[in-house]
Amino acid sequence: MQSDNVTSLQWFFACPQFIEPLLADELTDCGAESVKIGHAGVQALGDLRFGYRAMLWSRLASRATLQLAQGFGKDQAELQALIDSIDWQQHLRPEGTLKVRFFGLNDDIRNTQFGAQWVKDQIGDQFRSQHGVRPSVSNTPDLVVVVNLHKGNASIGIELNQHSLHQRGYRDLGTHAPIRENLAAAVLVRAGWPELIASDAETVALIDPQCAAATFLIEGALMAFDIAPGLLREHTVAERWLGHDADLWQELLEEAQQRRATGLAHTERFEFWGNDSHAAAVMAARADWRSTDLPAARWTQCDLKAMPAPTLAQVGLVINSPTIEASANVVTLRPLFDALGTWMASLPSTYRGALFAEADVPIALTNLFYSKEYRFLNSETECKLYTFDKLVQKERPTEWISDDLANRITKNLRKLKNFIKQGHTDAYRVYDMDIPEYAIAVDRYADWLHVQEYAPPKSIDEKAAEQRLQQALLTLPAALGVDPKKVVLKQRRQQKGKNQYEKQGRAEQALIVSEHGVRFKVNLSDYLDTGLFLDHRPIRYWLQQHAKGQRVLNLFCYTGTASVHAAVGGANRVDSVDMSATYLEWAKENFSLNDLQHDPYRRYRFIQANVLEWLYDCDEYYDLIFLDPPTFSNSKRMQDTFDVQRDHLALIDDAMRVLSAEGTLIFSNNFRKFKLDAEVGEKYAVQDYRKQSLPLDFERDPKIHGCWLIRHR
């Protein structure tokens, strides 16, 4: 079938999130009759000529879908009626191949894989009823059908781009690049590169001092020389679609080729310069550049501090996208951003700049005034683009070393001097929001620092809070004599559900610390907590001193640190109970670190269970029980949730039921507003142990936990 290329058609062009307005402008320039911005894409009305032109020229789109039908789709019956309303023979041969991409769910379809198969069957049935054959499925199909379900509505279309439109053809599909081509193009648009191209300047430069894969330079050159991205791809449009107009497509290709020839006639106007400190990056960038048949560019390999001066182009844009390691922090990044700011400020006054990086980079360390910031999403990582209309550094740079914070830490260390000198532990707290402006807690673990940022109140300006944090991170290494690369930052926020048990990152900065002769594994980066609650140090040591010959039970055992102390202290039996398999494995590692792994008599047991249910059914007795429950927890027994304030009396009763006549229950929790039920004191002998259980390094925060020793009367 030959499509009528002047009939208005409904299109949807997908794109990365946050660049939809830019894509809408681009589609308008391509001839769209109207556009409507959606989520991660733009709906457009236009004829086939518009659709082909957009697929050929769009620098921002990812996919192009021609919408065939829209309507209700809350169940299979409604969706089938919508599928049957389309004459599929206009789009696909009976013996052809297809693929279905299915998104969303409805009342009947609860799985997208099933949905895709079901839609394929419905289309196949239409062909079989009329021709006795049906199309087959293929990964390289003649036609890609796209079905979207959302809130009872459905849309059905066909994808007319043969490959993703972000792919230009100058990079192998399996090659990893820090940024996709269409996102790089969007960044250049926001940075003002098209305006420089359209200016009356005689010479224009685009410079990337950390070019990596050179995506910005190549996309910038394609814009400058008016080269359609579709010209670089071997296949752009779905040519086996029955509605394909080969003559129209060839006409648009020839037009694009003529525009490229015209654009390349002005090569002397533009300068492109790529630099990187890594030789492999420069080699890869040059190879990709050559594959596009672009005019010669300038390539250098050196550190930012050794960057030579650019040639004197009349105007220029410096685009930066620094490669930042996952373990990097403001301290390790300071030399990079300082050098970047200094070099950019040395450029001619007619140059402008842009920096594209993850959202939390310390942009202030460049000492430059940025003009605007834009939000982007690079894969799943939230990023920002900062633009600099003028590359001028501040006359009075920010003081990044805080004397107040350094002096307070020195004062704290002086107070802890004897404690540290005794060598009982190499893991302790050195600072805890002593100065309100620096809302962090700082713990030392051997030769590492673990920094937790308290979420600032809403009344504090977000940028001011971020600058204070960066200032603190730059101050800490020198104040505490720690390698800047050994500083780990985490933001402390209230966790819900399983978050407290799940990984927070992948840096895996695990190390061994010691405490009263016991060794523990801690992990400073991958989880909400490190594996060792420092404020429980005295009560763990109390267990070690009182455990000899005793049967010990550790409930909500976490990583088993209290269990290890009890075992080292000579306990006859240590049972550790927790619902998390991850933490129980960690507990076993801690036992192994202290040569407690060989246990032929089953003295040390690790029990994965819901603690509340396990304790309720327990029929054994223990002489020492350590009970440190969470503030909240899920439980089938207590109104579906456990609340330590509401439910602690029942929990203590259950624990006391399995406590031997002369035994001791150590009950603690970290709920700051917690009040022990008076009935506990009426039933049992209770010793308030809060003061004795508070270590010297936590004296400033007496509400860090509560602790009571409870015995039978």
Side-chain angles (χ1 to χ4, degrees):
M1 169 196 162
Q2 189 72 15
S3 175
D4 178 0
N5 63 44
V6 297
T7 300
S8 291
L9 305 168
Q10 289 281 353
W11 301 85
F12 180 79
F13 287 85
C15 67
Q17 193 176 351
F18 304 125
I19 73 170
E20 299 93 340
L22 301 180
L23 176 58
D25 291 342
E26 184 183 59
L27 295 177
T28 300
D29 291 341
C30 286
E33 298 170 30
S34 63
V35 294
K36 181 180 179 182
I37 294 173
H39 174 73
V42 176
Q43 296 179 20
L45 183 67
D47 57 18
L48 189 62
R49 177 179 293 272
F50 153 72
Y52 276 5
R53 187 184 297 279
M55 282 186 277
L56 180 61
W57 281 97
S58 177
R59 305 184 190 281
L60 307 177
S62 303
R63 297 182 182 276
T65 302
L66 174 60
Q67 306 284 34
L68 301 181
Q70 293 177 313
F72 296 116
K74 73 175 188 302
D75 54 30
Q76 283 180 310
E78 290 187 347
L79 188 56
Q80 182 170 356
L82 204 59
I83 294 170
D84 291 343
S85 71
I86 301 169
D87 184 1
W88 291 100
Q89 296 176 83
Q90 294 187 19
H91 306 285
L92 180 66
R93 293 174 292 111
E95 67 277 10
T97 58
L98 82 161
K99 179 179 181 179
V100 178
R101 299 175 66 232
F102 193 97
F103 302 94
L105 305 171
N106 65 16
D107 292 347
D108 296 326
I109 300 175
R110 310 305 299 169
N111 178 280
T112 56
Q113 186 175 358
F114 168 77
Q117 179 66 36
W118 183 83
V119 169
K120 178 191 73 68
D121 290 341
Q122 306 314 303
I123 297 174
D125 288 347
Q126 186 183 111
F127 279 96
R128 177 180 289 171
S129 66
Q130 298 181 29
H131 301 281
V133 295
R134 59 189 297 172
S136 58
V137 176
S138 171
N139 287 326
T140 56
D142 299 333
L143 195 71
V144 176
V145 178
V146 182
V147 179
N148 278 284
L149 301 180
H150 183 64
K151 294 183 177 179
N153 295 313
S155 66
I156 302 174
I158 52 177
E159 200 170 86
L160 291 190
N161 55 279
Q162 190 157 340
H163 299 290
S164 176
L165 296 177
H166 86 269
Q167 297 166 358
R168 311 302 201 219
Y170 59 78
R171 184 168 292 140
D172 292 338
L173 297 184
T175 302
H176 171 74
I179 186 172
R180 283 190 169 187
E181 294 86 338
N182 57 339
L183 181 57
V187 170
L188 286 167
V189 172
R190 285 295 192 202
W193 177 240
E195 285 86 345
L196 291 181
I197 294 173
S199 70
D200 56 5
E202 292 184 5
T203 51
V204 184
L206 180 63
I207 306 171
D208 188 344
Q210 296 163 295
C211 67
T215 310
F216 286 116
L217 292 174
I218 296 175
E219 292 300 315
L222 297 180
M223 293 180 187
F225 299 126
D226 199 22
I227 299 175
L231 286 179
L232 305 179
R233 288 187 288 266
E234 186 176 354
H235 299 287
T236 292
V237 70
E239 297 178 6
R240 287 177 287 175
W241 169 51
L242 294 185
H244 174 58
D245 188 332
D247 293 338
L248 173 61
W249 180 245
Q250 185 61 36
E251 175 192 334
L252 294 174
L253 282 177
E254 291 174 359
E255 177 191 352
Q257 289 164 352
Q258 180 59 48
R259 287 177 59 174
R260 174 172 60 182
T262 302
L264 289 173
H266 300 92
T267 57
E268 72 284 348
R269 181 172 181 251
F270 295 98
E271 175 192 350
F272 296 93
W273 176 19
N275 175 78
D276 202 283
S277 59
H278 297 94
V282 176
M283 289 179 62
R286 296 182 70 171
D288 285 344
W289 181 275
R290 285 195 299 268
S291 71
T292 60
D293 292 328
L294 289 168
R298 179 186 183 189
W299 303 98
T300 56
Q301 181 204 336
C302 61
D303 187 81
L304 272 171
K305 292 182 179 179
M307 283 278 287
T311 54
L312 297 179
Q314 193 172 2
V315 297
L317 171 67
V318 179
I319 181 81
N320 301 279
S321 184
T323 301
I324 299 174
E325 297 179 0
S327 59
N329 57 49
V330 66
V331 187
T332 56
L333 290 176
R334 185 181 184 185
L336 169 65
F337 281 80
D338 181 67
L340 186 59
T342 301
W343 184 79
M344 289 172 68
S346 71
L347 296 174
S349 60
T350 54
Y351 280 47
R352 62 176 68 175
L355 191 150
F356 178 80
E358 293 185 16
D360 56 354
V361 298
I363 186 70
L365 293 179
T366 63
N367 199 30
L368 295 167
F369 295 98
Y370 69 85
S371 307
K372 293 180 181 179
E373 61 179 86
Y374 299 96
R375 189 181 181 191
F376 287 92
L377 202 62
N378 187 9
S379 186
E380 296 181 356
T381 303
E382 185 163 339
C383 296
K384 283 186 178 180
L385 171 71
Y386 298 91
T387 62
F388 306 83
D389 292 342
K390 296 290 184 181
L391 299 177
V392 179
Q393 288 190 301
K394 302 171 186 176
E395 292 183 7
R396 294 185 178 181
T398 303
E399 290 291 337
W400 288 109
I401 302 300
S402 168
D403 291 336
D404 289 343
L405 179 60
N407 291 337
R408 179 53 64 98
I409 289 174
T410 300
K411 180 179 178 181
N412 290 352
L413 291 176
R414 193 179 300 123
K415 179 182 177 182
L416 297 173
K417 182 178 179 180
N418 291 334
F419 164 77
I420 296 170
K421 195 173 182 180
Q422 289 169 358
H424 293 315
T425 183
D426 57 357
Y428 49 88
R429 176 152 294 183
V430 295
Y431 177 90
D432 191 1
M433 209 166 67
D434 303 40
I435 304 173
E437 289 82 359
Y438 299 100
I440 56 175
V442 183
D443 297 319
R444 181 159 195 156
Y445 288 85
D447 56 349
W448 284 75
L449 294 184
H450 181 253
V451 182
Q452 298 176 82
E453 179 196 12
Y454 294 98
K458 294 181 180 180
S459 58
I460 300 297
D461 179 71
E462 184 177 345
K463 291 183 180 179
E466 179 64 24
Q467 184 164 307
R468 288 286 190 181
L469 175 63
Q470 293 172 355
Q471 192 177 37
L473 291 172
L474 288 164
T475 302
L476 291 173
L480 289 161
V482 171
D483 184 340
K485 295 181 180 179
K486 294 186 175 182
V487 178
V488 176
L489 171 68
K490 286 209 293 271
Q491 186 171 42
R492 180 186 290 179
R493 294 180 180 179
Q494 184 176 359
Q495 300 294 308
K496 298 179 180 180
K498 297 188 296 181
N499 288 351
Q500 57 187 317
Y501 296 106
E502 293 181 344
K503 278 199 170 189
Q504 306 294 305
R506 296 181 180 177
E508 297 184 358
Q509 282 145 335
L511 63 147
I512 307 301
V513 297
S514 63
E515 175 184 289
H516 292 292
V518 178
R519 303 175 76 221
F520 293 127
K521 169 192 167 182
V522 295
N523 189 314
L524 304 188
S525 59
D526 292 359
Y527 299 89
L528 175 63
D529 294 306
T530 66
L532 181 65
F533 295 127
L534 300 183
D535 58 300
H536 279 311
R537 190 187 313 115
I539 204 66
R540 284 192 292 266
Y541 189 47
W542 185 96
L543 271 170
Q544 182 180 333
Q545 293 174 309
H546 292 81
K548 188 167 185 175
Q550 303 293 294
R551 296 164 295 178
V552 179
L553 174 62
N554 185 3
L555 299 169
F556 303 100
C557 73
Y558 189 39
T559 59
T561 54
S563 301
V564 174
H565 271 283
V568 169
N572 281 343
R573 172 85 166 274
V574 181
D575 285 350
S576 305
V577 187
D578 202 285
M579 194 158 50
S580 168
T582 299
Y583 286 145
L584 286 174
E585 286 301 315
W586 196 333
K588 293 175 184 178
E589 288 186 64
N590 282 333
F591 268 71
S592 296
L593 281 172
N594 294 279
D595 298 323
L596 298 168
Q597 73 273 25
H598 183 60
D599 182 23
Y601 304 107
R602 297 274 292 164
R603 294 170 59 196
Y604 314 129
R605 297 194 302 175
F606 303 90
I607 303 166
Q608 184 182 0
N610 181 313
V611 172
L612 304 177
E613 295 171 4
W614 181 89
L615 182 60
Y616 182 75
D617 295 329
C618 179
D619 56 4
E620 301 183 55
Y621 287 92
Y622 297 89
D623 306 305
L624 287 175
I625 301 176
F626 183 51
L627 176 57
D628 181 43
T631 301
F632 297 99
S633 180
N634 294 326
S635 168
K636 294 179 181 178
R637 229 189 111 223
M638 295 183 176
Q639 302 178 28
D640 295 327
T641 60
F642 170 78
D643 181 309
V644 72
Q645 183 61 68
R646 183 191 67 204
D647 301 321
H648 72 274
L649 177 58
L651 178 60
I652 289 173
D653 283 343
D654 281 349
M656 294 301 289
R657 181 181 59 80
V658 300
L659 183 71
S660 64
E662 301 300 322
T664 301
L665 168 67
I666 304 105
F667 174 69
S668 69
N669 70 82
N670 65 351
F671 181 39
R672 290 179 176 271
K673 297 180 180 180
F674 179 80
K675 291 183 179 180
L676 191 67
D677 194 303
E679 192 173 335
V680 177
E682 296 170 2
K683 288 183 174 182
Y684 313 109
V686 178
Q687 179 184 355
D688 190 331
Y689 208 71
R690 283 176 288 187
K691 186 174 182 180
Q692 297 94 316
S693 70
L694 192 67
L696 179 66
D697 47 325
F698 282 85
E699 281 187 346
R700 227 188 135 264
D701 187 12
K703 292 184 178 181
I704 189 71
H705 69 244
C707 186
W708 295 265
L709 304 185
I710 304 175
R711 301 178 175 91
H712 293 293
R713 287 189 180 277

